[in-house]
Amino acid sequence: MDFIDYYKVLGVEKQATEKEIKQAFRKLARKHHPDLNPDDKAAEKKFKEINEANEVLSNTENRKKYDKYGKDWQHAEQFEQNQAQQRSRSSNQQDFGAGGQGDPDFSDFFESMFGGARGTSGRTRQNMQFKGQDFQAQLELNLTEVYHANSQVLTVNGQKIRLTIPAGIENGQVIKIAGKGEKGANGGPSGDLYIKFIIVNTGKFKRDGNNLYATVDLDLYTAVLGGDITTDTFDGKVKLKVLPGTQNDTKVKLKGKGFPVYKSKSDYGDLILSFRIKIPSKLREDEVKLFQELKNLNENGK
């Protein structure tokens, strides 16, 4: 694997802060996004490099490994385990004379992974198998798209992946697709793909877990006298009875009219509606007179 300087890809210094890395990524991602550069292979390649660089440098642990091991950072754990095993074996040896060999440095270890080097015991390690690097990806969906199960086709590192997304998935939730990461070394297992979901909500319903919240405007006359209204739920309209004397910010719960529970076909949260009473403005003369009469009646009745 050729070495790619992720800092140069994002155009930041090695000492860049997390905030600077995030800002650089967002700026470049907008510039090279495939939607803005259709049929532009160079932009598509650049976009992949930007995402790859961000996935490494925006993760504190991965960044430390990258800074230390360079292009072989994803195999850091195997190297460190090998070092520990070598130290353990050395501590059990009785002869520590000049003829002994110390622990190999990490460059020798990584070389042995791909052939050519031999271990301290003389046993060739070129056929050692190692799991491939895990991939990280993000998928942005609208709230309406995750109310029902749906299928998506993702392109990750050049491979198309068909994904069925269960209804009710939450913002920030991460799912793993086994074996869809980088191919393993020397026939080792492939890494995994981790997809983080970003759920965008621009509608009138606000989601909190499996419950939905919305505000319903209620005219003064219906609030005072009561009556039937038709209001929206997430999947259609329902009739709702309003009690006489309903106060502003009165809340009504509609059971089972909320969001579907993740991976549960028949369970739903609740919909909580808050009434917002609209006071009439620009009254006609006869309306003002009637309100005045009501006021007088109320005062005289005290």
Side-chain angles (χ1 to χ4, degrees), residues 184-217:
N186 298 325
S190 296
D192 302 319
L193 169 63
Y194 291 86
I195 302 176
K196 181 178 181 179
F197 287 84
I198 306 300
I199 310 301
V200 179
N201 181 18
T202 57
K204 64 181 290 186
F205 296 95
K206 304 305 176 186
R207 182 186 183 189
D208 183 5
N210 298 316
N211 291 333
L212 293 172
Y213 296 81
T215 300
V216 176
D217 288 336

Side-chain angles (χ1 to χ4, degrees), residues 53-174:
N54 180 64
E55 288 167 8
V56 175
L57 299 185
S58 64
N59 182 295
T60 303
E61 291 303 316
N62 287 347
R63 184 177 179 182
K64 287 180 182 178
K65 294 175 184 177
Y66 174 77
D67 288 343
K68 185 174 182 180
Y69 298 110
K71 68 182 178 66
D72 297 303
W73 69 271
Q74 65 266 40
H75 300 297
E77 290 182 10
Q78 288 95 329
F79 166 68
E80 290 167 357
Q81 289 173 2
N82 177 267
Q83 273 193 321
Q85 291 170 358
Q86 291 290 339
R87 284 194 294 269
S88 177
R89 283 196 293 267
S90 296
S91 66
N92 292 328
Q93 291 177 354
Q94 295 181 357
D95 182 10
F96 293 92
Q101 290 183 336
D103 291 343
D105 63 19
F106 69 82
S107 60
D108 290 337
F109 174 74
F110 290 130
E111 183 182 354
S112 74
M113 288 171 53
F114 301 103
R118 301 178 69 86
T120 55
S121 64
R123 176 176 57 87
T124 182
R125 296 180 295 181
Q126 64 182 8
N127 293 324
M128 292 178 66
Q129 295 181 339
F130 293 92
K131 181 180 179 181
Q133 177 188 354
D134 292 336
F135 288 157
Q136 310 285 335
Q138 285 190 354
L139 179 59
E140 184 175 299
L141 297 171
N142 194 279
L143 189 64
T144 56
E145 294 180 283
V146 293
Y147 186 78
H148 300 286
N150 73 87
S151 298
Q152 297 280 336
V153 177
L154 309 180
T155 301
V156 179
N157 219 46
Q159 60 177 329
K160 289 186 179 293
I161 299 171
R162 186 174 296 278
L163 177 67
T164 298
I165 304 168
I169 199 162
E170 295 196 29
N171 182 50
Q173 187 170 341
V174 177

Side-chain angles (χ1 to χ4, degrees), residues 1 16 39 51 99 111 173 238 245 247 252 287 292 302:
M1 180 189 297
D39 301 321
N51 272 293
E111 183 182 354
Q173 187 170 341
V238 296
Q247 302 297 306
V252 177
E287 290 176 320
Q292 187 62 54
K302 288 182 179 179

Side-chain angles (χ1 to χ4, degrees), residues 236-253:
K237 294 182 179 293
V238 296
K239 284 188 177 180
L240 188 62
K241 189 174 187 64
V242 178
L243 298 176
T246 294
Q247 302 297 306
N248 191 56
D249 203 33
T250 295
K251 290 178 173 52
V252 177
K253 180 190 290 186

